[in-house]
């Protein structure tokens, strides 16, 4: 398959994604029994994963879609610097950050650090895909869909230059092949 100027081949088929997402949902249901977590899916990439995952979760829970703040200048006290769009109170909450893919893990480590410093009860990460470099990082997700090597992937919410988010399967770039 060609997207823009790159070739991609199928990597993780829809059926495998759906099965894994269901398993992750069951783990969360067990781990958070009698809790009421706040899910924070990170836009744009995690919108499809979050929609599928949350339909397997049978806990009382809240969801607030957020974005990384690109500008991290001075913010007034009590305001989040790393995320925008968070309308729920995070004090004493069990937070589950929903990420599409962790590459270096650098972006999320700042988010986790900040959320932990603002009086949350717990902060965990679920990522659909973790790339090899993220395995070396100090901030580790509690839930991981698929561990992959350092390859560029596309589909199921993940884009290449804005394209391909709507694909049902996950594709990987065929190295060296351009359109
Ligand atoms: P990190 O801070 O973990 O290095 O950055 C993770 C972000 O980089 C992801 O949220 C995603 O936007 C982007 N990213 C990293 N690897 C890939 C990839 O293989 N495919 C796509 N589509 N985005 C990626």
């Amino acid at each position: 398959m060609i997207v823009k100027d790159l070739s991609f081949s199928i990597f993780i088929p829809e059926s495998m994604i759906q099965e894994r997402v269901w398993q992750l949902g069951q783990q969360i249901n067990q781990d958070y029994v009698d809790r009421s977590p706040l899910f924070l899916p990170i836009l744009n990439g995690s919108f499809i994963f979050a929609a599928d995952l949350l339909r397997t979760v049978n806990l009382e829970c809240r969801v607030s879609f957020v974005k990384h703040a690109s500008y991290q200048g001075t913010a007034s006290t009590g305001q989040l610097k790393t995320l925008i769009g968070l309308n729920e109170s995070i004090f004493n909450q069990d937070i589950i950050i929903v990420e599409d893919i962790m590459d270096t893990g650098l972006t999320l480590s700042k988010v986790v650090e900040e959320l932990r410093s603002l009086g949350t009860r717990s902060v965990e990460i679920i990522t659909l895909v973790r790339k090899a470099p993220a395995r070396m990082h100090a901030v580790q997700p509690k839930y991981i869909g698929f561990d992959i090597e350092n390859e560029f992937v596309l589909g199921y919410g993940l884009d290449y230059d804005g394209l391909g988010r709507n694909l049902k399967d996950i594709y990987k770039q065929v190295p060296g092949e351009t359109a």
Side-chain angles (χ1 to χ4, degrees):
M1 185 189 59
I2 309 284
V3 177
K4 226 177 158 195
D5 54 346
L6 296 181
S7 289
F8 290 88
S9 61
I10 210 150
F11 184 33
I12 310 173
E14 183 187 7
S15 58
M16 211 188 265
I17 301 171
Q18 292 303 332
E19 193 185 331
R20 189 72 190 118
V21 170
W22 186 84
Q23 290 170 349
L24 293 168
Q26 300 318 301
Q27 278 180 35
I28 290 176
N29 287 335
Q30 281 176 22
D31 293 349
Y32 287 81
V33 71
D34 296 329
R35 307 255 198 113
S36 184
L38 169 61
F39 289 87
L40 299 186
I42 312 275
L43 289 170
N44 293 322
S46 69
F47 75 112
I48 291 183
F49 175 41
D52 282 345
L53 177 72
L54 280 152
R55 281 177 289 183
T56 72
V57 168
N58 54 27
L59 307 161
E60 179 191 88
C61 63
R62 291 188 170 80
V63 188
S64 191
F65 282 82
V66 291
K67 272 202 159 196
H68 289 296
S70 50
Y71 173 69
Q72 293 185 15
T74 43
S76 55
T77 328
Q79 265 195 333
L80 275 170
K81 289 183 193 168
T82 55
L83 295 178
I84 52 172
L86 182 52
N87 300 318
E88 305 280 340
S89 165
I90 56 169
F91 184 73
N92 213 21
Q93 295 299 303
D94 292 305
I95 310 279
I96 304 178
I97 299 168
V98 184
E99 182 64 298
D100 51 355
I101 186 163
M102 285 177 78
D103 184 358
T104 62
L106 277 174
T107 329
L108 268 196
S109 65
K110 290 200 185 83
V111 173
V112 168
E113 197 181 307
E114 187 183 22
L115 288 171
R116 285 193 176 141
S117 74
L118 290 176
T120 47
R121 185 168 167 196
S122 65
V123 181
E124 300 291 355
I125 300 168
I126 178 167
T127 186
L128 180 67
V129 179
R130 180 174 67 169
K131 283 185 163 181
R135 279 175 235 154
M136 317 297 286
H137 205 272
V139 170
Q140 288 301 323
K142 181 164 186 179
Y143 307 98
I144 299 157
F146 301 96
D147 258 318
I148 68 167
E149 293 309 313
N150 202 3
E151 40 214 348
F152 186 76
V153 292
L154 171 82
Y156 196 72
L158 291 153
D159 74 309
Y160 170 49
D161 205 12
L163 301 171
R165 293 193 197 275
N166 54 318
L167 298 164
K168 291 188 175 72
D169 311 283
I170 293 178
Y171 292 75
K172 70 174 172 182
Q173 190 194 348
V174 182
E177 268 189 43
T178 49

